[in-house]
Structures are given as C-alpha cells and as structure tokens.
Amino acid sequence: LKHHSGQLLRSEVLAVDWRRVTHPTDRTGVTGFWPDPLRVQKSEGLSVAKGSNRAFWLRVYVPKATVKGVYRGTVSVRSGEKILHRFPFEVEVFGFELPDRMTCLTSFNIGVDKLQKAGCDIKAFRETQKRHHMMQFGTCTPYAYVFDEPSTSQYPIVRARCEQSKKDRPHLKRMVTEPPCPELQGYVDIWCPRTDDYSREAAEAARRRGEDYWWYICCGPKAPFAGLFIDRPGTELRTWLWQTWQEKITGVLIWHACWWSTARDNNGDGTFFWKDDQGKPVDTFRAEAFRDGVEDYEY
C-alpha cells in the first residue's frame, strides 16, 4: 500500500483454513466447517480449483511514525501469469500511535512444556503471542496466581495461600479467579471472576477498597455472553474487549492459548494458535479479533 507522500505499508495475504465442528458449543452453534486457521501462503501462492470458493485474510502492518492518511493498494488474482481481476483497497492510518505496552492487561498461558513435547518453535510462538497482545501468565503485572476457581469449602486454603504468598513475596499482588466475597476480602488483591459472574456493584466496591478487577472466559460462558468458541460470531472476542473498557475492568485472563486437545475437540477453547508441520504457529481469526479488541480498548 502506498501513501501520496510515497510512504509504503507492508501487507500479507493469509489463506483461511477450516476446522470441523462436530458438536455445537451451545444453542447458537452449528456443526460443520468453520473458518479459523490463517496460514501464511507459500511463495508460489495458493491454487484454487475452478468453480470453487476460497477465503483470504489481508493483514496490513502499520509501524510507528507512519504518516497519517489513506494508503491505497491492489489485490490481484492470477491464473498462471495472466491477471484475471484487480481489486483496489485502502487503509486509513490515524494520527496517533499505540504504546508498546497496552493499558488493558492480558494474561495467557502458552504452555512451554506442551510446545516442547510437540516439537514447536517456542520463540516463534512467544513472538506471535506478544504480537497479539497476549502476555504470558504473570508477566503483564507482578502477581501470584494463588488459586483457580475455588469452591466455598476451599476458602480457608485460599486464605492460607494468600498469607503465605504475602509473606514470601510481598511485592506480588495475589490473584484468584473468583468474584469478590467477604470471606476473602483482605487476602485477594486482584479479583478475576468469569464474565457471567460479573457484578458491576461488586466491581465498584472492590475498586473503592483499592483492589483490582479483571475477568476471564474459558469453557464458558455460553450464549448470550461473548465467548471464544469457533462456532460463535466472529465479532465476539472483539466485543469482549469493548465490554472490558465499558465496565472499567483493567485486565483479562484466558487459561491457555495453545491447548490442542487429543481427547475431544473443544471448539477452540484455550486454542488461539494452531501449529503447522514445522512446529511454527498458525494464526487464527479469533486471535486477530482479540488483538483488534485490545487496540480498540487503547483507542
């Protein structure tokens, strides 16, 4: 793409692949093939059989210090050396830059041990994760993930672990994936309930006490809440970040980014990147939507 000043923007075309959904996530889901993986094309391009359809994803990179304005380019469809169609397109660049560190904190697990066992390029996965603003557990802000989804009977254990954490690592905030409750007040610094357990009143009260409020999605919630599943509308992950900004929530958490299930396909739960035959990360439509949502939050 080119600006009238002569400045250029780099772009790439990704081939949209499909994942088969065999069991609907909820009442809104549908079985069949759904678009999700976005594969980098080989240098010779991708052949499409006559009379068939193929979807592509166009990604444009806008570095810092890019001149604002409209950049124009063309996508060409070829048959051999013959150009069959030219499609003009344009991108508008705004007159401000995004920071290197986003305001909305994000915490994702990529499971280094799992990647190693699968023979993956861990550095490439980490770089891809960072490019999508998916910070690894504990790196976005100093915190200790004290307990995951405790039951009320486990609250004494949570309190004991929080006290031990405060003693051993006083510089860390203590996070629990649970909505605010009187039994844990004074022990938890970051409340992180699932989105369907969110209470605006409880969140405001926590902030008045000086506590942080995050939220997360995982195997739920289901419709009508925004989710991360392949067989849900493609707008949902981006919308989730709009809701995060609207509710003054400062962080989001998802339990895994590369959970490839061998027992049962989980419709993308915990899987934002697939892997190719060389162990390199394969981007997804949902990861792109999440990244756009984080940047929308920053806007």
Side-chain angles (χ1 to χ4, degrees), residues 167-198:
K167 179 181 178 181
D168 296 341
R169 297 176 292 177
H171 62 289
L172 296 183
K173 292 185 176 182
R174 282 149 291 282
M175 190 268 287
V176 177
T177 47
E178 186 76 350
C181 58
E183 297 89 340
L184 297 179
Q185 283 183 20
Y187 296 89
V188 176
D189 302 304
I190 303 175
W191 303 98
C192 186
R194 205 170 73 168
T195 55
D196 52 341
D197 282 331
Y198 170 70

Side-chain angles (χ1 to χ4, degrees), residues 114-153:
K114 189 177 184 67
L115 293 176
Q116 287 177 333
K117 291 179 181 179
C120 293
D121 184 335
I122 296 174
K123 181 180 178 181
F125 271 88
R126 283 177 168 166
E127 290 174 349
T128 301
Q129 182 188 28
K130 183 178 180 181
R131 180 162 54 84
H132 287 83
H133 309 313
M134 298 177 181
M135 301 297 291
Q136 295 182 58
F137 275 0
T139 61
C140 59
T141 189
Y143 75 89
Y145 198 153
V146 176
F147 209 99
D148 184 61
E149 299 179 343
S151 62
T152 53
S153 63

Side-chain angles (χ1 to χ4, degrees), residues 258-280:
C258 307
W259 187 262
W260 305 307
S261 174
T262 57
R264 179 176 181 270
D265 188 358
N266 52 10
N267 291 354
D269 178 27
T271 305
F272 283 87
F273 306 105
W274 306 101
K275 62 182 177 69
D276 63 15
D277 295 337
Q278 287 74 46
K280 300 286 187 180

